[in-house]
Every structure is written in C-alpha cells, then in structure tokens.
Amino acid sequence: MAASLRASSSLRSRLLSSSSVCPLWRLLLSSPVHTEAPHQTQTLAFDEIQLSPEKPPTATAFVLHGLLGSGRNWRSFSRTLASELHNRSPSEEWRMVLVDLRNHGRSAGIKGFHPPHNMSTAAKDLADLVKARGWPWPDVVVGHSMGGKVALDFAESCSHGVYGESAVLPKQLWVLDSVPGQVVTDNSDGEVERVLHTLASLPSSLPSRKWVVDHMLSLGFSKSLSEWIGSNLKKDNDQVTWAFDLQAAIDMFDSYRERSYWALLEQPPKDLEIAIVQAERSDRWDPDDVQRLKALAKREPKPDTGKVSLHVLPNSGHWVHVDNPKGLLEIMAPNFLSGVKN
C-alpha cells in the first residue's frame, strides 16, 4: 500500500499539471477567501451547543468536520446527540464544541495558521484552542473523515506529551468513516478528487448556492453531496464564495491520505476507547483494513491499554450525518462516554 502511495503523485501535482483546469485553478488559488468574523479567539473558530447553557457543563466533546466542511455541517446532529444523551442521563450536561479546522469555515479567515497544513498541525490547533480559552481538555473527540484522523493525531500527541504536562488524554474517540491507515485512491471511485477537480474549475465568485448545487447535479454528483457542497458557501456581496481555502485543503487531503495511525490502534493508551464507525456503502475501505479492525475489536482487554470498537452504519455512504443520521445516533448514543464529571 505504501509503495502504491509513493508511486502516485500528490493531488496537488495532478491538479496543477492538468492543462484543462490550470488557468482557472491558478485564478482560484490566487483569490482571497471571504469569511464572516470568527468567534473571538486567536485560534480556531468554533460554535458551542449546550442544552442548558446556564448550567456548568459536566463533560465536553469536540466535533471535527471533514475535508471542505465546517463545524456547522454537524450542528443539527450534535444538537440531537446532546439531547439524546441528556434523556439517557439527565444529570449529565454535555457541551459540544463544533470546531472549524484550519483553512475551513470561519477559521479560513483567521491569520496565523502557517504551513505545513497537515493532520499534526490541525490537531495542535485543538490543543492551542483549549489552552487559549482555559478550558478543560475534551473528554470525547468526534471526527468525520479527515476530522477522524485529526482526532487520532490529537490523542496520539496527548499520549506522547507533545502538548505539555497540562494536556489530558481524551477518554473516547469516535472516528467516523475514516480509514486509520494510508489511503490508496485506487480503492475508491475517486469521488473526493472529482469534487476537488470540479471546484478547481470554477471561478472564485459564483452566482448563487442554487447554481452550484444544480451544476454539481448536472455533473452526476448525488443530490445529498451536491447540497452539502452548496452548504459550504458564504455570501459575498451579490454572489457567493467558498468558506474554505482550497489550496491549503488540498495539502491537508494529501496528509490525510498519507498518515497512518495503526500503531495507535494496535496499542491504545490506557483508559482510551477508539470507536470506529464504518459506513456500510462507503468506498473508502479496503477489505484487509476491515479485517484488521475486526481483529483489534475482538482482542481481550488488557489492564495497561485502551480498547478499539468497530461499528457498521447501515444504509450509508461516506457522508454519514447526511445519509443516515438516525442510524448514526442509534450507534453513538448508547455507546457514548458516560459518568464524566469535570
């Protein structure tokens, strides 16, 4: 698998070498990103969801979106999850922090996120956010797709002391349809690459969200994916523009494909559970990777290590919160961390 990755050029190289998209691609990369004012912080932009904000939270979960997304993509699901967790345990007051990762959402308009743009720097941004706000370290980190690997990197770095002595390891990770190892594009239909090629061929300012959705549909993309892409647009005077930095996002996508966290799953730190959710119809998964995860999930627990669990989400492709949010809730709510007191 690693040899295949080394043999293939990066997505950036493939895009820039394509004569059909090069002029518009360079136009897109040279255009500024227009964003709304972020949450007041020198680090990442974020939103908070808490059912009873007047009460002090008893536990905190960070929710991390995937490539080209933003925290708001997970707003509805996070609110529903918080409500369900409260119904199951009324004494617990969960606080959900929906983060806009670097180069995405409102964080794309914040200066100071210097290269390299990869999983490790994106994870360190989370630690910087915790320290800057004076928050307790998150009890749970939920990450979808690229956000799942950021979550894995965050836990790994915490366990290795990268963030300093004050850092506290999360007690649980939810890694949603994110392959923990290196990703070989040949194992999928290249949907992400096709999306990036399409966005690169468009001008930086667009007529409307409806125009973008209709354009994506005309190219054969699904309705749910087209509408999701359209949800990541921001108003810019009489037109709309993307709520992410496409050039930097491509760097992050290359890092997502290249990084492997199998070592973390083989030997999870003590008291950490890593819950992997595989979407039943997702094209991301190699059969060997699935078998490897099943074997890890079946291992007898050891007192000095954490554990891995594997859940399969039926009737869903990669976009789990869009394709089957009810099924995802039914997996996560009963297995979500409980009994936490900050």
Side-chain angles (χ1 to χ4, degrees), residues 1 60 95 112 119 124-125 138 149 157 164 180 196 224 246 248 254 273 306 311 335:
M1 184 179 294
T60 297
R95 171 173 160 264
M119 299 301 93
K124 183 179 180 297
D125 293 339
K149 278 197 169 178
S157 297
L196 292 174
S224 60
L246 188 54
D254 283 338
E273 179 189 2
H311 311 265
N335 296 291

Side-chain angles (χ1 to χ4, degrees), residues 12-320:
R12 175 198 291 278
S13 299
R14 294 198 301 273
L15 285 170
L16 292 178
S17 64
S18 173
S19 59
S20 63
V21 300
C22 185
L24 285 172
W25 171 254
R26 295 190 185 281
L27 173 65
L28 183 59
L29 295 190
S30 64
S31 301
V33 176
H34 301 275
T35 63
E36 297 172 358
H39 202 297
Q40 293 301 309
T41 174
Q42 294 303 309
T43 53
L44 297 169
F46 62 91
D47 288 312
E48 298 176 84
I49 291 177
Q50 190 177 331
L51 295 184
S52 302
E54 72 280 1
K55 297 180 181 178
T58 60
T60 297
F62 278 13
V63 181
L64 313 180
H65 60 82
L67 184 74
L68 305 184
S70 67
R72 68 178 183 177
N73 299 145
W74 285 85
R75 189 178 297 162
S76 177
F77 180 84
S78 297
R79 186 179 292 111
T80 303
L81 176 60
S83 178
E84 180 62 24
L85 294 175
H86 178 75
N87 292 339
R88 289 173 174 271
S89 181
S91 64
E92 294 184 1
E93 185 67 33
W94 277 93
R95 171 173 160 264
M96 306 290 181
V97 179
L98 281 55
V99 177
D100 285 355
L101 297 174
R102 61 166 52 209
N103 311 308
H104 289 74
R106 292 167 298 166
S107 293
I110 300 176
K111 296 181 179 180
F113 296 113
H114 303 296
H117 300 297
N118 56 37
M119 299 301 93
S120 293
T121 54
K124 183 179 180 297
D125 293 339
L126 301 178
D128 292 342
L129 176 61
V130 171
K131 294 175 183 179
R133 306 295 297 187
W135 288 340
W137 291 78
D139 303 285
V140 176
V141 182
V142 180
H144 172 238
S145 193
M146 181 186 74
K149 278 197 169 178
V150 175
L152 290 167
D153 201 293
F154 179 78
E156 184 176 69
S157 297
C158 281
S159 67
H160 292 165
V162 173
Y163 305 142
E165 295 181 358
S166 65
V168 179
L169 183 73
K171 299 175 181 65
Q172 189 179 56
L173 302 182
W174 282 92
V175 181
L176 308 179
D177 209 53
S178 183
V179 178
Q182 294 174 321
V183 179
V184 180
T185 307
D186 292 345
N187 289 342
S188 74
D189 64 3
E191 184 177 56
V192 175
E193 287 87 345
R194 290 194 298 117
V195 168
L196 292 174
H197 273 291
T198 300
L199 301 191
S201 71
L202 299 175
S204 57
S205 292
L206 300 156
S208 68
R209 178 181 179 275
K210 182 180 184 302
W211 184 93
V212 172
V213 172
D214 289 344
H215 181 69
M216 298 293 288
L217 288 170
S218 72
L219 295 176
F221 292 101
S222 69
K223 186 174 186 291
S224 60
L225 176 57
S226 299
E227 290 181 344
W228 176 77
I229 290 294
S231 73
N232 290 292
L233 289 160
K234 299 181 88 62
K235 194 74 175 175
D236 182 21
N237 296 321
D238 294 332
Q239 296 188 308
V240 293
T241 190
W242 300 112
F244 45 73
D245 181 331
L246 188 54
Q247 178 181 11
I250 288 172
D251 291 341
M252 296 179 73
F253 179 62
D254 283 338
S255 175
Y256 159 78
R257 292 192 308 155
E258 293 161 4
R259 285 298 304 270
S260 174
Y261 298 93
W262 280 116
L264 178 67
L265 271 69
E266 295 281 356
Q267 196 76 14
K270 183 180 179 181
D271 299 326
L272 171 65
E273 179 189 2
I274 304 176
I276 308 286
V277 175
Q278 175 199 358
E280 183 182 43
R281 299 201 305 264
S282 174
D283 65 351
R284 269 66 173 173
W285 295 90
D286 182 90
D288 291 340
D289 290 339
V290 175
Q291 290 303 315
R292 191 172 179 181
L293 281 174
K294 287 180 178 179
L296 291 175
K298 291 178 181 177
R299 286 192 311 188
E300 288 294 325
K302 297 180 180 179
D304 60 339
T305 63
K307 67 176 183 176
V308 173
S309 59
L310 177 63
H311 311 265
V312 177
L313 176 63
N315 303 316
S316 177
H318 180 63
W319 315 98
V320 292

